[in-house]
Amino acid sequence: MNIQQLDLTIPQRHLMEIFADEKYHDNYGNKRIHALLTYMRSLLAESGYASPSLDMLLDGQASPLDFESFYIKTVRHEVARIRDGKDWEEHAVPPQELSLQKYKKALGRFFPRIFLDLFPKPVKTVNPSTNLLAAWEMGYGQKIRWDELTNVKNDDLKAIMLIIYNYIWVCVNRFPSFYQMFLSSWTHYLLTHEWPDNEAFFKEKWLQEEGFRKSCQQTLEYALEENRRLQNALGGRYITVMEAARAVLEKIYGRDSIDKEADAWRKRVTDGKFDLGTPIEGRQGRKFYPVENIISAFQATNQEMITDEDIAHAIDSRSRLKTKLKQ
């Protein structure tokens, strides 16, 4: 079935045209993101919904964002939740006061890669109109998605919005497994919605599946290789089960009042008869386990909306070297 034969009104065609059009290609997808968000705004208007922040962002009326405040707030938050925070406290100052080396080091540790690529030197403000992805990560995404569009009840519209949100997430973070998750959700959307001439479409789709599966398999193999490298890099680091639970949940909720949830996850891990490795006993009888074993156990018992990569990153950030454990 030729895409040109599809009814112009169906969302599938509009989205495919935006994803396929080469004129939207640039390093960090501002053009394509703008096109996707513009289309999302048109669908919201048709359904009687509005997002003032989205309108300002797309119309070039959004105020410049304070990069200094965002940088300091992010670094302070990360420093407060990691065990080696004192080693990073000096980075929680206006980036202009740091050497370029220290500034880049902090960006690489605490921020998505996009910030190091877009702002290799400190800046005071960020123009949202020309940095849609950075603006989304600096608070606009939270404001649009959670503060203004949580009231959308239309399931079809919510599915399209989720595809666009996931695509933005992929562009900001650029992790291999995120690409696979996006491809899976996008393909699921295409295969579970009505099309004109469904039979012809699915016959053609079936013929294309072999190439798609190979592409996904290559992405998965890359992700597994990255995980293997991470596991090798984690040798010699230890953490308690409770500390790991807190680290992961703080990554999700960004708050400290998570005792109940953390204890529930701790029990899932300790009751799951996982091989946590040989513990090292610290003060007050606390048992520290090899971090790679803890990561595997938490990934296996994950019931939250968080990826394996984020679990690994959260736990590794809170873990300690064996040589630094006070026994």
Side-chain angles (χ1 to χ4, degrees), residues 52-279:
S53 297
L54 178 61
D55 291 339
M56 293 177 64
L57 187 64
L58 294 176
D59 295 339
Q61 298 175 354
S63 301
L65 295 170
D66 188 335
F67 181 78
E68 286 189 356
S69 296
F70 171 72
Y71 170 90
I72 295 172
K73 180 179 178 181
T74 301
V75 173
R76 283 178 177 171
H77 173 77
E78 294 297 318
V79 165
R81 71 177 188 80
I82 62 176
R83 285 294 176 180
D84 57 346
K86 291 186 178 180
D87 297 337
W88 292 88
E89 285 179 350
E90 62 178 318
H91 294 77
V93 297
Q96 284 81 359
E97 297 180 11
L98 296 170
S99 67
L100 190 58
Q101 181 181 7
K102 287 186 176 181
Y103 166 70
K104 289 184 175 181
K105 186 177 180 181
L107 285 187
R109 176 66 186 269
F110 300 127
F111 295 79
R113 174 73 192 201
I114 182 175
F115 288 98
L116 185 59
D117 288 349
L118 291 181
F119 312 116
K121 294 183 179 179
V123 295
K124 291 187 176 181
T125 61
V126 172
N127 184 344
S129 300
T130 55
N131 294 281
L132 286 177
L133 286 173
W136 190 274
E137 186 70 10
M138 291 174 70
Y140 264 100
Q142 172 94 9
K143 193 171 184 180
I144 292 170
R145 180 175 182 181
W146 300 114
D147 297 349
E148 297 179 358
L149 295 179
T150 53
N151 62 331
V152 173
K153 305 301 181 184
N154 184 312
D155 288 340
D156 288 337
L157 178 53
K158 287 170 66 176
I160 294 170
M161 291 165 60
L162 183 60
I163 287 171
I164 294 174
Y165 295 152
N166 286 344
Y167 182 74
I168 294 175
W169 190 37
V170 164
C171 291
V172 170
N173 291 282
R174 294 195 167 190
F175 287 131
S177 61
F178 290 1
Y179 282 98
Q180 183 166 341
M181 290 169 60
F182 169 74
L183 286 173
S184 297
S185 64
W186 169 230
T187 305
H188 179 268
Y189 172 79
L190 294 179
L191 293 176
T192 54
H193 284 71
E194 291 295 328
W195 293 74
D197 188 16
N198 275 335
E199 183 178 358
F201 166 74
F202 285 116
K203 284 182 179 178
E204 181 175 346
K205 191 65 182 175
W206 177 256
L207 294 176
Q208 296 172 352
E209 278 299 310
E210 183 177 3
F212 176 75
R213 287 195 301 272
K214 288 181 179 179
S215 175
C216 283
Q217 183 62 34
Q218 290 175 350
T219 303
L220 178 59
E221 289 173 357
Y222 180 79
L224 291 174
E225 176 61 18
E226 287 295 300
N227 286 339
R228 185 190 64 77
R229 292 176 183 174
L230 174 63
Q231 184 175 1
N232 290 340
L234 296 180
R237 299 189 71 88
Y238 287 74
I239 191 171
T240 69
V241 179
M242 191 61 178
E243 285 176 341
R246 286 183 175 278
V248 176
L249 288 168
E250 286 175 11
K251 182 79 172 180
I252 302 172
Y253 299 112
R255 56 187 174 86
D256 294 326
S257 55
I258 52 174
D259 291 348
K260 183 177 179 180
E261 294 89 342
D263 190 56
W265 203 337
R266 176 192 64 78
K267 289 180 180 178
R268 291 205 300 272
V269 170
T270 55
D271 294 345
K273 298 181 179 180
F274 294 98
D275 180 11
L276 299 181
T278 303

